[in-house]
Amino acid sequence: MAMLKALVVDDASFVRDLVKRTVRQRFPVIETTDAQNGRRAQSLMSRTTFDLVLCDWEMPEMSGLELLQWMRQQPQYAKVPFIMITSRGDKDHVIEAVKEGVSEYLGKPFSPDGLSRKVIKVMGRRLKEAMEGSGKSMAGPAEAFKESATLLTQKREPPGQPVSAAPEAESGKVAGAPASTGRTSPRNNMSLASIRFADSTLKSVVKDINLTEVRVIAKRDQVFPGILDQAVVDIEVGEDQMARLNGYVHQLQAVDKRQDTDFVGVTIRFVDEDPKKLEDLSRFVARFRAGNR
């Protein structure tokens, strides 16, 4: 029986489900509830007392930072652990969250081990006693996850052969592409992208993009993710302005029908529901299509 309660807050249902799944499998004494934004979380927290909050930063209606500020003003939540889980990892944002009383900061995309370590760190003795009281051991995160075949975030090394073959062959434009993020080259109109995963970054060329997903082509000699792995796609939407779009790996496929193909196509399906992010994405899609006419 669960003895502790955690609230998971994120506008993307995929991320909420992933966090809840990880917490349940690693810490069966923690019961999880979720909310799609800070406003909904605030309502739940006013009716129920939670022992841990795991929250995204960028959400519609009320951001994670605003929820944290409100939470620290409530006597019952003044010292409750708050883990900010977000793709915003720049120094200024980390400092801002620390000033407002964040307990820990976890960057997206995260690994189950990384999330587990943060939960253990902020919950401390209380979690240990609850686990021991239920007859569960506090084994290290790696050992705990080895037994789980249902986690969505297991990494794969560069494939010996691609997962599937695309029906059409495409030219290998990735060769020699410089490391970049969402920028369009004035020489050839290629949009170069760096897609971040929990343990690696994939350098690639954007082949197509819409409001639902992006398809990129990457050289096969890199570390590739697994199906359903979390991803963050950084897109430059203006001068010194970056949109960080959360998603997951929807498909991996060969660029051509040869088993020894040098390139692999990766499709990232977006999960964000934040109107601001969708607006930024719309502008990039329009610019991408105009540059490839």
Side-chain angles (χ1 to χ4, degrees):
M1 178 182 293
M3 293 178 283
L4 300 172
K5 294 183 178 182
L7 179 62
V8 179
V9 191
D10 199 296
D11 62 309
S13 59
F14 174 84
V15 178
R16 294 199 305 272
D17 291 345
L18 181 59
V19 173
K20 289 191 297 180
R21 181 192 299 267
T22 302
V23 171
R24 284 198 305 265
Q25 292 187 340
R26 178 63 181 89
F27 311 108
V29 297
I30 299 180
E31 177 185 275
T32 59
T33 303
D34 66 322
Q36 67 269 32
N37 58 53
R39 190 70 67 194
R40 174 60 178 163
Q42 190 181 49
S43 176
L44 291 171
M45 293 169 71
S46 298
R47 300 197 302 267
T48 303
T49 300
F50 292 95
D51 305 291
L52 171 66
V53 177
L54 304 105
C55 184
D56 184 29
W57 185 308
E58 297 174 292
M59 298 178 294
E61 296 193 39
M62 176 184 275
S63 70
L65 187 66
E66 291 171 329
L67 179 64
L68 174 61
Q69 291 169 335
W70 171 84
M71 177 175 162
R72 291 307 185 215
Q73 295 173 0
Q74 313 307 310
Q76 71 272 31
Y77 286 114
K79 296 183 179 179
V80 169
F82 186 107
I83 300 176
M84 190 77 82
I85 305 176
T86 176
S87 55
R88 302 179 69 167
D90 47 289
K91 183 179 179 181
D92 290 343
H93 287 106
V94 174
I95 292 174
E96 187 176 7
V98 170
K99 287 181 177 178
E100 296 298 337
V102 75
S103 306
E104 273 294 331
Y105 197 99
L106 180 63
K108 290 181 182 178
F110 57 87
S111 67
D113 283 5
L115 174 59
S116 180
R117 284 192 292 268
K118 296 291 184 180
V119 172
I120 291 173
K121 184 176 180 180
V122 300
M123 296 298 289
R125 182 174 294 278
R126 189 176 184 192
L127 176 59
K128 182 179 180 181
E129 290 175 351
M131 291 285 282
E132 291 175 347
S134 67
K136 306 292 183 181
S137 65
M138 286 289 288
E143 288 78 3
F145 285 110
K146 279 180 182 177
E147 300 177 359
S148 174
T150 58
L151 284 177
L152 303 181
T153 54
Q154 293 181 351
K155 291 290 167 206
R156 287 198 271 185
E157 293 303 310
Q161 63 182 52
V163 174
S164 61
E168 77 286 357
E170 299 186 58
S171 61
K173 293 183 179 179
V174 183
S180 182
T181 304
R183 294 187 175 89
T184 301
S185 167
R187 296 178 61 185
N188 51 23
N189 287 328
M190 286 197 307
S191 291
L192 308 174
S194 290
I195 304 176
R196 292 184 282 126
F197 302 100
D199 301 315
S200 63
T201 298
L202 192 68
K203 297 173 183 177
S204 59
V205 169
V206 177
K207 295 296 295 182
D208 194 21
I209 186 169
N210 55 45
L211 296 180
T212 302
E213 62 187 26
V214 60
R215 183 168 182 246
V216 303
I217 303 298
K219 290 193 69 174
R220 186 180 171 184
D221 59 1
Q222 303 180 75
V223 176
F224 277 79
I227 298 295
L228 298 181
D229 276 8
Q230 298 174 78
V232 172
V233 183
D234 293 333
I235 294 180
E236 189 176 292
V237 294
E239 188 174 351
D240 298 326
Q241 185 180 1
M242 191 75 69
R244 296 176 172 87
L245 300 164
N246 298 291
Y248 65 92
V249 179
H250 177 68
Q251 186 178 45
L252 296 173
Q253 60 182 180
V255 164
D256 56 47
K257 296 181 180 180
R258 295 180 298 107
Q259 183 176 352
D260 60 347
T261 179
D262 292 327
F263 300 95
V264 176
V266 183
T267 300
I268 305 296
R269 185 152 290 180
F270 300 127
V271 298
D272 285 306
E273 299 175 11
D274 187 338
K276 177 62 170 61
K277 288 190 176 184
L278 293 178
E279 181 182 337
D280 291 340
L281 178 58
S282 296
R283 289 202 300 271
F284 180 83
V285 170
R287 191 168 74 239
F288 175 84
R289 297 197 181 284
N292 286 273
R293 285 175 182 169

